[in-house]
Amino acid sequence: MSASLIYDLAPIGSIVAWSDGTPRPPERHKKKLAAWENRDSKGRLIRKQGKRGVGNVSLSPDFTLHEGDFGAGGVIAIRIHRTFSLDSELTFKVVERPSLGSVRVFDRAGPEAELVHLAGDRQVAEEWLTRHGYPHAVLEEVTADEVAADHVEGRAAA
């Protein structure tokens, strides 16, 4: 899939893989493998941003994937996010979609909202919120209509 199809079709909370099409180098080539992993990886779709302007500059739509966290002892020190513009030449694939009944936890309401957690159900989401302190958080359940739309439109296997 192209980046624009991910933007148009993939629901927030999906696991999305990206690739530049090059084959994986052997494990013994540490530098080549590290470079390859930078261009071929996956992450959870946490935000979609439409076209916007900053001063005289117009920014095109993009989407952001959460690739991973680094830390120790339960404390996250660094979060890895990747933002892709719709004109990216990489190839994308939806690996997993959020399941029916799961609950998305957004940091705030509105178009600038970012997914901070995907819980199995509302109770788990509310428990997670009590431990992580997002005062303006918004909970959104993945509905049967959303899952059905993916199947009807042929997006389930995309």
Side-chain angles (χ1 to χ4, degrees):
M1 299 178 108
S2 67
S4 61
L5 284 175
I6 291 295
Y7 183 86
D8 291 340
L9 302 177
I12 297 290
S14 297
I15 302 292
V16 176
W18 68 88
S19 174
D20 67 354
T22 59
R24 181 185 174 97
E27 293 291 328
R28 67 181 183 276
H29 297 284
K30 300 292 185 200
K31 289 183 181 179
K32 288 181 181 178
L33 184 59
W36 179 85
E37 288 173 342
N38 193 38
R39 296 182 317 269
D40 292 72
S41 192
K42 65 182 175 180
R44 186 170 302 278
L45 181 60
I46 61 169
R47 180 176 50 205
K48 296 179 185 181
Q49 289 186 302
K51 188 174 183 178
R52 58 211 179 279
V54 179
N56 292 334
V57 178
S58 179
L59 301 172
S60 66
D62 59 40
F63 59 90
T64 302
L65 303 177
H66 175 231
E67 189 176 3
D69 295 327
F70 292 99
V75 176
I76 297 170
I78 298 174
R79 279 219 145 104
I80 307 298
H81 290 174
R82 301 264 182 136
T83 300
F84 298 95
S85 67
L86 300 192
D87 60 357
S88 174
E89 294 184 9
L90 296 171
T91 302
F92 297 87
K93 178 182 179 182
V94 176
V95 177
E96 177 185 321
R97 295 177 184 278
S99 61
L100 175 64
S102 59
V103 176
R104 299 177 185 106
V105 180
F106 290 97
D107 61 349
R108 61 184 161 254
E112 299 296 318
E114 181 176 296
L115 181 74
V116 291
H117 185 67
L118 182 65
D121 58 39
R122 184 165 291 276
Q123 180 182 353
V124 172
E126 289 170 354
E127 288 172 5
W128 184 89
L129 269 176
T130 62
R131 293 188 313 272
H132 291 87
Y134 284 89
H136 304 292
V138 175
L139 302 180
E140 179 184 284
E141 188 172 339
V142 176
T143 64
D145 290 341
E146 183 178 347
V147 172
D150 287 345
H151 289 289
V152 168
E153 295 175 15
R155 295 186 283 185

